[in-house]
Amino acid sequence: ISVFNDAIGAILAGAPEGWGVSCVCGTGGTSGARSPDGKTWHGGFFHDSSCGGSNLGDAALAAILRADLELDTPTWLTNLVLEHYRKPSVEALFHAFTRRENRLPRNPAALSRIVLDAAAQSDHTALRIIDTQVYRAADYIILAAKKVGILDRPFPLVLAGGVFRHPSNLLHDTLIGHIERCTRNARPIRSTI
């Protein structure tokens, strides 16, 4: 028995011939690859969870805190995040996260849609968050293809996970743009899983 993470499952379920590379962007994010001869590699816990909903949400929380402290420029994310948590200010929000009793659950993955909504409206901070996360995810996709020896040939790239189901194409288009700085061999497939 072999145990893998959902990156290999996405390839087996989403690539027509059961081989290729995957980028999974759900609550967390991961990558994996499988060659036509069955050689596999997956990120597992070897890398950060780039492009996962939790990473996008954590980056949004950090960004609104920095904007509130006037260390960064104002962002539309502030109002969206405060509305999501039903808090009147950034200070009240972070106090609710850190107080001793009745702490407010952070659940940053729930903010991924908000980040993508703001980015689709050209919010500079949200666009920067997407670009940073996607740049890292693209690195792992390229690494995964190298690890199984398929980078130098056309390969299916399965894009799986709920974050990819956002109505805008921003995440998809930014990811493909970053991948194309190294290879034009990726053939994206949007997974239904």
Side-chain angles (χ1 to χ4, degrees):
I1 295 175
S2 297
V3 178
F4 301 106
N5 67 6
D6 48 352
I8 302 303
I11 295 167
L12 295 173
E17 308 214 357
W19 67 272
V21 178
S22 68
C23 178
V24 181
C25 298
T27 301
T30 192
S31 302
R34 184 171 188 268
S35 68
D37 65 2
K39 182 178 180 183
T40 59
W41 180 88
H42 64 93
F45 297 104
F46 309 137
H47 65 73
D48 62 20
S49 191
S50 299
C51 231
S54 292
N55 287 65
L56 294 173
D58 282 336
L61 290 170
I64 69 167
L65 179 59
R66 288 184 60 82
D68 190 64
L69 296 171
E70 299 179 359
L71 295 171
D72 281 336
T73 57
T75 172
W76 187 43
L77 286 171
T78 301
N79 291 337
L80 295 175
V81 170
L82 292 177
E83 184 179 303
H84 172 80
Y85 286 107
R86 298 185 179 136
K87 293 296 175 191
S89 67
V90 173
E91 183 178 352
L93 176 62
F94 279 84
H95 179 261
F97 287 153
T98 58
R99 64 185 172 215
R100 290 180 188 244
E101 295 178 9
N102 301 317
R103 222 177 253 180
L104 179 67
R106 288 173 66 103
N107 190 19
L111 301 177
S112 63
R113 177 173 277 281
I114 290 170
V115 175
L116 288 163
D117 287 346
Q121 296 300 316
S122 301
D123 179 83
H124 176 73
T125 301
L127 287 167
R128 182 174 37 84
I129 290 168
I130 297 296
D131 192 63
T132 299
Q133 292 296 315
V134 167
Y135 183 85
R136 292 178 186 154
D139 281 346
Y140 288 115
I141 289 166
I142 293 162
L143 172 68
K146 283 181 185 176
K147 289 282 189 182
V148 300
I150 60 172
L151 184 63
D152 296 329
R153 62 184 286 185
F155 61 86
L157 171 60
V158 179
L159 306 174
V163 178
F164 278 117
R165 290 196 273 283
H166 188 269
S168 81
N169 285 325
L170 183 65
L171 188 70
H172 172 277
D173 295 347
T174 306
L175 179 65
I176 299 308
H178 281 305
I179 291 168
E180 287 181 349
R181 69 190 157 83
C182 279
T183 181
R184 293 193 173 269
N185 287 329
R187 305 293 182 257
I189 300 168
R190 286 190 189 238
S191 174
T192 56
I193 60 168

